[in-house]
Amino acid sequence: MKTYWWKALCIVLLLYTLIAGLLMPVPAKDILNETIRNLHFHVPMWFTMIVLFGISCVSSIQYLRKGSLERDIVAAEAANVGLLFGIMGLITGAIWANYTWGAPWSDDIKQLCTAIALLMYFAYFVLRSSFTDIDKRARVSAVYNVFAFAMLFPLIFIIPRMTDSLHPGNGGNPAFSQYDLDNELRKVFYPAVVGWILLGIWIAQIRIRMRRLKLKSFLS
């Protein structure tokens, strides 16, 4: 039972997010209006992506130190699920931008840098698929994974702040201000962040177990 409490918490938080996020009253904000509900879905996707990419990076470092294929499996599957949440974050962001900025894609610096970051992780899996030797694949992809994670923060958090941007939190446009995140929204937003992160870890855990079984059958 001790190992399942966080899964039960995940289900409860996501049910609360879906129900409250879609049905509870939201503050009437200029331009945003009802689209502000996307806050509970779009932003937590990015938090989940970063957490999973962080787990992947740490696992790659552990592989480079110890050479355990177990850590390579964790690195690959955490990155896999992190990329999935990154794509969902990009899609939900495009939907939101279509209503608030007038177009789903406007070549905003945040959109461009995020797309580049995701392409770097697509390249990670292309790199992995180019090797047939398990140990060599794990070693080379671990080095690349550390590099990709190191580039994630300049692309998402630093470069967009250095130029004009429509996206909140960049180019002098403040994020999580009283305008776009008041106390009523926080009641749903924070549980949503925790719920989506737990879901991402849960999915990654399932994929890791599947990969372990495949590795055992391959080595046996």
Side-chain angles (χ1 to χ4, degrees):
M1 185 64 182
K2 293 180 180 179
T3 59
Y4 295 109
W5 69 267
W6 64 272
K7 297 177 182 178
L9 177 62
C10 172
I11 293 171
V12 171
L13 290 177
L14 289 182
L15 283 174
Y16 171 71
T17 298
L18 290 171
I19 296 171
L22 295 176
L23 299 179
M24 283 183 63
V26 293
K29 304 290 187 180
D30 292 339
I31 302 175
L32 294 176
N33 299 312
E34 289 292 315
T35 68
I36 202 169
R37 296 181 187 276
N38 198 19
L39 175 75
H40 311 310
F41 305 95
H42 169 61
V43 179
M45 298 297 172
W46 294 125
F47 280 101
T48 306
M49 178 194 75
I50 292 169
V51 168
L52 288 166
F53 283 166
I55 292 172
S56 178
C57 178
V58 171
S59 298
S60 287
I61 293 172
Q62 291 174 333
Y63 171 80
L64 291 172
R65 290 179 59 189
K66 300 179 180 180
S68 171
L69 287 176
E70 169 70 20
R71 305 319 302 168
D72 177 62
I73 290 174
V74 174
E77 294 307 328
N80 202 329
V81 181
L83 184 58
L84 171 64
F85 276 86
I87 293 170
M88 291 193 295
L90 199 63
I91 292 172
T92 52
I95 294 171
W96 204 355
N98 190 49
Y99 286 95
T100 57
W101 301 349
W105 191 268
S106 57
D107 289 335
D108 182 79
I109 186 64
K110 186 78 169 189
Q111 290 179 320
L112 292 173
C113 286
T114 301
I116 292 171
L118 294 181
L119 287 174
M120 288 178 61
Y121 276 90
F122 272 116
Y124 167 74
F125 290 103
V126 173
L127 180 66
R128 289 185 65 86
S129 65
S130 64
F131 291 96
T132 55
D133 182 86
I134 296 177
D135 293 318
K136 188 173 183 180
R137 177 180 64 197
R139 185 168 59 255
V140 174
S141 60
V143 173
Y144 178 87
N145 195 19
V146 174
F147 165 76
F149 187 72
M151 290 299 298
L152 186 67
F153 289 88
L155 284 169
I156 293 180
F157 297 111
I158 298 176
I159 295 175
R161 292 179 181 271
M162 299 172 64
T163 184
D164 292 333
S165 175
L166 294 169
H167 195 282
N170 303 289
N173 190 2
F176 300 122
S177 64
Q178 191 66 26
Y179 177 78
D180 56 12
L181 187 61
D182 64 9
N183 289 331
E184 291 302 312
L185 291 171
R186 286 187 177 94
K187 293 178 182 178
V188 183
F189 175 72
Y190 293 133
V193 170
V194 176
W196 288 114
I197 289 175
L198 290 177
L199 179 63
I201 294 173
W202 192 353
I203 296 172
Q205 187 182 75
I206 293 172
R207 291 189 60 88
I208 289 167
R209 288 176 179 173
M210 293 171 61
R211 283 287 302 276
R212 285 173 180 162
L213 292 174
K214 288 181 180 179
L215 181 62
K216 287 181 180 179
S217 63
F218 177 78
L219 295 177
S220 60

